[in-house]
Every structure is written in C-alpha cells, then in structure tokens.
Amino acid sequence: MSLFLNVVQVSEAIAVVRTIAVPCGQELVPLHEALHRVLAADVRADADIPGFTRSVVDGFAVRAADTTGAGESVPAILTMLGRIVMGSSADLSIRAGSCFYIPTGGILPDGADAAVMIENTERAGDEVLVKRAVAHGENILLYNEDFSKGDVVLSRGRRLSAQDIGVLAAAGCTDVPVTRLPRIGIISTGNELVPPGTRPGPGQVRDVNTSVVASAVRDLGCSPVPYGIVRDDRETLRKAIATAAGECDAVLISGGSSKDDRDMVAAIIAENGEVLVHGIAIAPGKPTIIGRYGSVPVIGLPGHPASAFIVLIAVVRHLILCMTGDMGSSLRTVQATLSQNVPSQRGREDYVRVAVSGGIAAPLFGKSGLLNTLVRSTGVIRIPAASEGLETGTQVEVILW
Ligand code: AMP
Ligand code: MG
C-alpha cells in the first residue's frame, strides 16, 4: 500500500528502508585494500598465535624458581649458556641455575618459564646476577595465548579498522571476504543549479548536494556514482532516474521532493515502482521520499543541503548499513550540557546543530537552509518526537559529524 502524502515517524521510515535494502553480495579483496570494508564472513586463525612461547622483554630466559628471593642486595647467580637468536628455532634448553640471553620476541628455551628484564640484571663474565625475582609466566607470551588455530579472530559484519587489518595479517587472511561496495547513484535536480566550477548568475545556486551526498555515502563505505544536475523536466528526470537505477544498487535524488505540483520525483518513482513514504516527521528533512524503482531503493532527499544531510544521517544511513551488512558501526557521540533552552514541536523528531566546547553544547539556531551552521557546529542533538523541548542544563548526547 502506498503511504503517499502520509507523514511517518522516523522509526517507521527506518523500518521501511530496511525492508527495501538489497544485500550487495561479496567479493575477495587483497589485505592491503580491505581497510574500512565490511567483513562478509567470519575469519579464523589458520595457525596458533603466537606459534611458540616468546619473551616480551630483552633480558634473560630463566626458570622462575631459580630467582626466588632475589633482590638488589642478594642477587640470584645464574650461568649464562648462550644467546637466543631471533627467528631461529634451535633446540635449546636450560637446566637449574642457568639462563640464556633472549631478545624481545625470541623463542623461550625448553625448561624456561619466565624472562628477567635486562635492567634487573648485571653481567659478570659467564654469570648473570638477577636482582629481582620473577614469577612463573612473567614477561612471556604463551604459545597460542592470543588466538588458537581455528578461533574466529573477527566476525562477519565488522567494518575493518587499521588494527583489524593487522589481526587479519597475523591470522594469515591475505584475501579478505568483504561485502561488495554498494554503487549509489546521485542525482541533483533543479533548474536553478549550476556546477561548483561555474559562478552562479541571478537566481542560480551552485550544486552543493552532489558533493555532500557523494562524500557522505563514501564515508558510509559506498561508491558514489554522480549523474550530475538534472533539469526539472519530466522526460529528462525520468531518463536520469532510469539510467541510475539500471546501473546502481540504490539511487539518491535531491530536490524536487516536496509536495508541490512542480515536483515530479515521487510521480516518476510511482510510475515505475512504488512510493512507500512521502514525508517524514523530522526537522529539517520533512519532504523526503522513500521508494523502489523496480527493485532498486530510491530516496528523494530534500533540496536544502542541511536537510539532505540530516536525512542521510537519520534514515539513509540505515539503508546503507543493511546493504553493506555492517553490523557494528554506530554514530560517534559525546555527552554535553545544554547551554540554552531548545524548543521543539511534539510529534516530530528535531535535529538541532550545536557547537560543543568544554563539555557545553551551545545550540546554533538559524534557518535550516544556512550552510554556515553546518560547518560551525560540532554535531547535532536529536530531540525525540514525544518531547516538547529541552531545558538549559540538560545532559544531551551530541551526534558528532
Ligand atoms: P527543492 O526541494 O527542489 O524545492 O529545493 C529546496 C531548496 O534547496 C531550494 O532553495 C533549492 O535551490 C535548494 N537546492 C536544491 N538542490 C540543491 C543542490 N543540489 N545544491 C544546493 N541547493 C539546492
Ligand atoms: Mg528543486
């Protein structure tokens, strides 16, 4: 059933985008290209990590029991049998009262169960004076203490960080199964728009949305595919949407989404698919369309760049998380104290830009069409639909840009 002309709550809009999201499938990428991609399958260690018991300090491999009671004034005296060489697995072992010099990461000789830091020792010919006792297991990393062969080191749905890439390398995962990057078609509509490289004439404005939307979806782990500026002409717009829907996994169209008789986006989607939502109880961002062109999700974003950006964060983000299978990413937030009352209309979710400094969030009021508050703000606070506003001194969660 079409909900055309019915304004829905943000939670419902999110539920709708989740139902139309089509998972993007998966591919293998080399380890060095996997940063920020979403893992499509669990990755298991192909070997024990570490594969041998090793020292985490430069010093001496010892039997902990031989150092019992050792101190500055009564050192334990051990015989040095030799040096452990990095990367070698020579079968070495120690007996009671002896030790080996060992570098950080060196393989522990048989019989040793701890390492003494070099700072706590003194050499005297073939003898080593140990001035601090060590406990069993001290200063060493045990065989497979980190991960055992077959353990899941990273789970499906995780967006890969730099540390994750390191763990994949340790686990021997050189071809990483990731979800395919969704291709997101981007169309800006409006007779008044000119490209950023053109100086706007009277009545004209530069196309901001192509750049904002492309950057935002790239940030969310997608490949933006810009289709440029399209005139408010039914035939041209119909062709552009058809092309984008044929080539992309989802299409984001900005402008022409309000309930004005000149606005055609909803009509064109309805002809070739289905309009599921037209109007969300969100400010800024009310004139938003959620639909399907054939089976391809299509979102009509409001024309105002600030409104389009809020809808991207509040709603479109959920579409993209579903498409990429990203199960871990969340918005970055910070707690702050509100410096001023913020009124809000009941029944609508309000997003208010704030500048945060020293734990205080100062609302930046102003027209939603202004760009300057987007860059002067640290982020936004979300005022739930049920609230009539927030009072000075309220603890708020700021969603950071
Ligand atoms: P519309 O939703 O098409 O009625 O547009 C609402 C407002 O947003 C109008 O002032 C437009 O000029 C402006 N606008 C629409 N698209 C863009 C764009 N791509 N870049 C900058 N401003 C835009
Ligand atoms: Mg327009």
Side-chain angles (χ1 to χ4, degrees), residues 33-370:
E33 286 173 18
L35 184 66
H36 299 155
R37 299 294 295 270
V38 177
L39 213 49
D42 293 348
V43 173
R44 295 172 183 275
D46 73 341
D48 293 306
I49 306 171
F52 55 92
T53 298
R54 59 204 303 225
S55 175
V56 297
V57 296
D58 287 329
F60 294 91
V62 300
R63 291 158 38 122
D66 287 345
T67 70
T68 307
E72 226 19 85
S73 49
V74 267
I77 301 170
L78 304 177
T79 308
M80 179 167 142
L81 301 179
R83 304 173 78 87
I84 307 287
V85 177
M86 285 301 277
S88 100
S89 67
D91 270 338
L92 299 171
S93 59
I94 63 173
R95 49 176 197 275
S98 66
C99 65
F100 272 91
Y101 172 78
I102 192 165
T104 301
I107 185 166
L108 222 69
D110 273 352
D113 65 350
V116 182
M117 287 172 77
I118 195 148
E119 292 88 330
N120 298 321
T121 65
E122 200 181 305
R123 281 288 296 278
D126 277 350
E127 303 205 308
V128 176
L129 310 185
V130 175
K131 299 179 169 178
R132 188 179 163 281
V134 283
H136 171 74
E138 197 168 334
N139 296 328
I140 63 173
L141 214 55
L142 293 176
Y143 166 73
N144 85 13
E145 182 175 346
D146 218 352
F147 294 105
S148 294
K149 181 175 177 176
D151 276 356
V152 171
V153 295
L154 292 173
S155 304
R156 184 172 67 91
R158 186 178 174 107
R159 198 160 182 217
L160 297 169
S161 65
Q163 310 89 287
D164 294 343
I165 302 293
V167 170
L168 291 175
C173 180
T174 49
D175 290 308
V176 187
V178 294
T179 44
R180 201 167 56 72
L181 280 185
R183 286 167 57 83
I184 309 290
I186 298 168
I187 297 172
S188 286
T189 72
N191 290 339
E192 75 283 19
L193 301 179
V194 293
T198 301
R199 189 174 291 279
Q204 297 184 323
V205 293
R206 288 188 169 124
D207 171 17
V208 172
N209 290 346
T210 297
S211 305
V212 172
V213 176
S215 306
V217 302
R218 195 187 293 281
D219 231 8
L220 288 168
C222 302
S223 256
V225 185
Y227 288 87
I229 298 166
V230 176
R231 306 276 133 217
D232 290 317
D233 163 71
R234 203 178 180 98
E235 232 3 80
T236 319
L237 193 52
R238 184 182 281 133
K239 277 199 192 120
I241 296 176
T243 306
E247 295 174 351
C248 298
D249 299 300
V251 181
L252 306 180
I253 305 160
S254 71
S257 63
S258 58
K259 293 165 194 168
D260 189 301
D261 57 6
R262 72 192 154 85
D263 294 328
M264 298 163 291
V265 175
I268 294 170
I269 297 171
E271 278 167 25
N272 297 278
E274 195 175 6
V275 172
L276 298 160
V277 170
H278 194 180
I280 302 178
I282 186 173
K286 183 178 174 187
T288 294
I289 300 165
I290 302 172
R292 237 190 314 227
Y293 190 97
S295 60
V296 178
V298 179
I299 310 289
L301 297 168
H304 283 304
S307 311
F309 192 62
I310 294 297
V311 174
L312 279 170
I313 289 179
V315 180
V316 178
R317 201 177 140 261
H318 296 278
L319 172 72
I320 288 171
L321 293 182
C322 279
M323 293 175 71
T324 57
D326 185 338
M327 298 191 284
S329 295
S330 52
L331 293 166
R332 288 186 315 122
T333 59
V334 69
Q335 297 292 323
T337 308
L338 207 52
S339 69
Q340 228 181 306
N341 289 344
V342 181
S344 170
Q345 191 180 307
R346 185 187 278 277
R348 162 186 103 178
E349 196 163 293
D350 278 341
Y351 285 78
V352 177
R353 283 159 246 181
V354 293
V356 181
S357 171
I360 304 291
L364 299 175
F365 296 114
K367 298 167 186 158
S368 72
L370 293 175

